[in-house]
Amino acid sequence: MCGIIGYAGKNPAVLVLLEGLERLEYRGYDSAGVALIENGRIFVEKKVGKIRELIRSLWGKPLKATVGIGHTRWATHGEPCEINAHPHTDSTGEIAVVHNGIIENYRELKEKLQAQGIQFTSQTDTEVIAHLISLYYQGDLLEAVIKVVPELKGSYAFCVITSREPYRIVGVRYGNPLVVGIGDGENFVASDIPALLPFTRHIIPLSDGEIVDLRIDSVDIYDAEGNRIVKEAINVPWDIISAERGGFKHFMLKEIFEQPRTVGDTVKGYVSRDYLLPFNLRDFRRILILACGTSYHAGLVGSYWMNKYLQIPVEVMYASEFRYADVPVNERDLVIAISQSGETADTRYSAISAKEKGATVLSLVNVMGSALDRESDYTLYTHAGPEIGVAATKTFTSQLAVLYSLAVSHLPDRDRFMEKLSSVPHMMEEVLGEAEQIKKVALKYANRKNMLYLGRYLSYPVALEGALKLKEISYIHAEGYPAGEMKHGPIALIDENMPVLVVAPRDRVYEKVLSNIEEVLTRRGLVISVGFRDDETLTKVSKDKIGVPEVDEDLTPFLTVIPLQLFAYYIADHLGLDVDQPRNLAKTVTVE
Ligand code: F6R
């Protein structure tokens, strides 16, 4: 989704904004722009396409402004074009706004403003904000913003500057993320933390309804009524190196390779019980796991572990379905909301509604200070560091590590289980050591149009996750399915042109999965399997096989998912696609 960056300091703002924008690229965007207060006037430059287009058009311009705002746009209202790109200005050109989110009542506001003779230049919802602020402006930008906010409906974050007060940026968070960065004689505002890591690690995450008045040497935060609020900065433990590509061609590849370390880091805290929760999971009537996308797949894996070890009903639902499904929830339920970003609108609002119905909400998030973190009763962190590739990889396996630790947390021989979990990172290294062989297999299938991914029991969510990765970054249609369900429909798709990737570790359903493979072979489907290295039977029935070390059946997802991540990565890279920023996708989905 759109990304916002703002800077007020002593250095040339344009350099900070462009660096920040590059670090927001991963959120997904189609155009980018900046607004600077240059010699007492607002200077705006915007371009369709990549940030480098914007850099090219700014090249050689002697810009000295030390205050400015920047934006990456992911189109919602109005096609991607220069006119619709942000920043947007009011009719006088003295006020400039960047915005992330949706102003739901913008048509109504636009008509009202047009009736007063105000001319609009873009098709965006954002432009109403600039004109409204202009209408209410009487010499104090903060006051004008406080008057405008109650008029706006929807979920949004925006930042505004005016040439009439060239030393300040006013920012608002209402549903969409906005964080403030505190520097030394300079201050920042951005949609997320990685954009600020080159400049500061002292961060104040804003809560919904909060407004920041950011100046070169001060940061003041207000509630929606204009009352001052005192908020402490948190020190984020992430360093700038963790948000760099570090020699890898893409962030996604780097993040796949980071997994032994990130899972290791996550496990450490849980082995030592750093996280202790003030309740026993078995005291609840049931556990309901809510999440979207990859986090949902992690939740599915977690539900198998929890059903097995906690012996209480554990259900998993897409957060986007839960909200409108009349699911009975009460104070005897524990809701586990899983979200890498902690900002996914569907997950947040489901968690809030479950909490309102009396459930205890425990969230699993990767971003400290994110909205879900603050809105939940309890939070567990996944400690995976910043994930920049749009396709989630390392956060999936860290989520698994937390879920497994929770599932076994009450067992008398918990230490034995945690010891097994601690051996996983080493085995993940071994799988990564096979990357070249995985690449060879992947490239054989790079020109296929469709693929089926099958798995059963714990490998079923892994198959779903593998198919999601392939779709997202290579644009090849892939369907994940429970292997046992294939005969109830998808079997009709199988012929000599259909590659079928089967996740088949030697676990409790292994024999059944072998039978499913036979069903595929009988119809001349092409079987690619992911299973144990020494499994000769699987080798024989597969056209291509990717081996992983033998491991306890519980822990197979940690290993079998890696070949699937790499399989998708190598195909997308071979096809010359934008692996880290696939088309149409956003890293943080803040719209419902
Ligand atoms: C897939 C992917 C998405 C996210 C989903 C939820 O690779 O990245 O499907 O998993 O948008 O995001 P979070 O976990 O931030 O709530």
Side-chain angles (χ1 to χ4, degrees), residues 292-295 338-342 344 347 390-392 399 465 468-469 472 586-587 589:
C292 298
T294 291
S295 297
I338 311 176
S339 173
Q340 180 283 128
S341 60
T344 300
T347 311
V390 163
Q399 288 165 346
E465 177 58 10
L468 179 66
K469 292 289 88 98
E472 284 184 295
K587 182 74 182 159
V589 184

Side-chain angles (χ1 to χ4, degrees), residues 459-479:
S459 299
Y460 159 53
V462 174
L464 292 180
E465 177 58 10
L468 179 66
K469 292 289 88 98
L470 190 71
K471 288 186 262 228
E472 284 184 295
I473 60 168
S474 74
Y475 316 145
I476 293 173
H477 170 245
E479 192 165 338

Side-chain angles (χ1 to χ4, degrees), residues 1 25-30 50 74 250-252 255 388-392 468-476 568-569 572-573 576-588:
M1 307 268 123
E25 276 193 302
Y26 76 95
R27 294 169 66 88
Y29 71 108
D30 46 62
K50 294 286 171 194
W74 188 83
H250 293 103
F251 277 109
M252 183 180 175
E255 288 158 3
I388 309 291
V390 163
L468 179 66
K469 292 289 88 98
L470 190 71
K471 288 186 262 228
E472 284 184 295
I473 60 168
S474 74
Y475 316 145
I476 293 173
Y569 170 79
D573 185 41
L577 299 170
D578 195 345
V579 173
D580 284 333
Q581 294 147 40
R583 70 181 180 205
N584 306 338
L585 289 180
K587 182 74 182 159
T588 309

Side-chain angles (χ1 to χ4, degrees), residues 57-340:
S57 67
L58 288 166
W59 197 251
K61 293 193 174 140
L63 298 167
K64 296 200 181 63
T66 63
V67 174
I69 51 180
H71 190 261
T72 47
R73 175 172 189 249
W74 188 83
T76 56
H77 294 66
E79 57 164 338
C81 64
E82 221 156 90
I83 289 176
N84 288 335
H86 300 210
H88 288 281
T89 52
D90 69 327
S91 313
T92 64
E94 291 176 348
I95 289 171
V97 173
V98 288
H99 156 232
N100 167 22
I102 292 175
I103 307 298
E104 286 166 3
N105 58 337
Y106 88 99
R107 280 179 208 284
E108 183 189 318
L109 294 169
K110 188 169 177 175
E111 279 163 20
K112 231 164 70 182
L113 290 161
Q114 281 171 327
Q116 295 178 42
I118 293 169
Q119 306 259 341
F120 278 72
T121 49
S122 75
Q123 296 134 14
T124 64
D125 50 344
T126 308
E127 201 181 332
V128 298
I129 307 176
H131 293 302
L132 278 175
I133 293 174
S134 178
L135 205 66
Y136 285 115
Y137 186 80
Q138 287 177 330
D140 187 317
L141 189 59
L142 178 66
E143 275 178 18
V145 168
I146 291 170
K147 285 183 191 147
V148 167
V149 166
E151 299 223 7
L152 305 175
K153 291 204 181 102
S155 172
Y156 57 83
F158 70 81
C159 282
V160 53
I161 53 172
T162 175
S163 53
R164 292 186 239 172
E165 296 171 81
Y167 43 82
R168 95 199 283 202
I169 301 173
V170 176
V172 180
R173 174 187 169 127
Y174 227 106
N176 283 24
L178 203 62
V179 298
V180 173
I182 311 293
D184 187 9
E186 54 183 2
N187 292 305
F188 312 81
V189 59
S191 292
D192 61 25
I193 297 168
L196 299 184
L197 288 179
F199 316 112
T200 180
R201 280 158 64 180
H202 304 305
I203 303 289
I204 305 178
L206 295 184
S207 299
D208 283 345
E210 288 179 354
I211 303 176
V212 60
D213 181 4
L214 186 122
R215 303 175 187 220
I216 294 167
D217 45 16
S218 67
V219 166
D220 293 303
I221 296 169
Y222 299 86
D223 66 16
E225 282 79 46
N227 304 306
R228 256 313 273 274
I229 305 171
V230 179
K231 289 190 91 162
E232 293 292 322
I234 54 169
N235 282 331
V236 293
W238 301 347
D239 58 23
I240 180 66
I241 293 162
S242 59
E244 311 254 305
R245 275 210 304 273
F248 285 88
K249 187 169 178 192
H250 293 103
F251 277 109
M252 183 180 175
L253 189 62
K254 177 194 170 219
E255 288 158 3
I256 292 172
F257 272 83
E258 273 181 308
Q259 292 178 103
R261 185 179 55 76
T262 49
V263 167
D265 286 351
T266 308
V267 174
K268 264 181 227 146
Y270 291 85
V271 168
S272 59
R273 286 189 186 265
D274 279 355
Y275 65 96
L276 273 186
L277 291 168
F279 52 76
N280 186 330
L281 272 73
R282 298 193 68 190
D283 293 342
F284 291 94
R285 175 188 68 149
R286 102 178 139 168
I287 293 178
L288 184 55
I289 300 178
L290 302 175
C292 298
T294 291
S295 297
Y296 169 82
H297 298 155
L300 265 182
V301 176
S303 73
Y304 285 94
W305 289 327
M306 288 182 179
N307 275 318
K308 177 175 172 186
Y309 293 115
L310 295 172
Q311 286 294 306
I312 54 170
V314 182
E315 291 162 42
V316 196
M317 263 187 103
Y318 281 117
S320 51
E321 285 299 313
F322 170 81
R323 274 202 82 195
Y324 304 99
D326 303 317
V327 179
V329 173
N330 63 34
E331 58 288 339
R332 288 182 298 150
D333 293 321
L334 174 69
V335 164
I336 302 184
I338 311 176
S339 173
Q340 180 283 128

